[in-house]
Amino acid sequence: MGNFSENLKTCRKRRGESQEVVAVHCGISYGTYRRYEKGEREPTLSMFCTFAKYFEVTLDQLAGWAPLPF
């Protein structure tokens, strides 16, 4: 289990997508997404939920409180 930024990166890489693609699909700028993955910024609850839904994981898994399903 990792932390949020590590898990976000793991989920993205598992899907084989770039940061830019995920940012567009989730409705945020590339720079903002990059900061989330680097751990420089924390998402709002609604954005956190958007990421979980997009990557098809639970909030607990994305936060690092439960193992990712892969």
Side-chain angles (χ1 to χ4, degrees):
M1 290 187 293
N3 62 32
F4 167 72
S5 60
E6 291 170 357
N7 288 346
L8 188 64
K9 186 175 185 176
T10 298
C11 288
R12 177 181 59 80
K13 288 189 171 213
R14 178 81 172 163
R15 287 180 69 139
E17 296 179 346
S18 67
Q19 291 177 331
E20 293 91 344
V21 168
V22 175
V24 167
H25 281 285
C26 292
I28 58 174
S29 72
Y30 161 69
T32 297
Y33 182 83
R34 186 177 47 81
R35 285 184 204 92
Y36 291 147
E37 273 198 11
K38 291 176 85 177
E40 296 174 350
R41 187 171 179 180
E42 295 280 325
T44 62
L45 180 58
S46 63
M47 184 52 56
F48 193 83
C49 292
T50 298
F51 289 140
K53 183 176 180 180
Y54 182 73
F55 291 119
E56 299 177 342
V57 296
T58 67
L59 297 177
D60 284 350
Q61 290 167 330
L62 191 56
W65 298 330
L68 289 169
F70 35 79

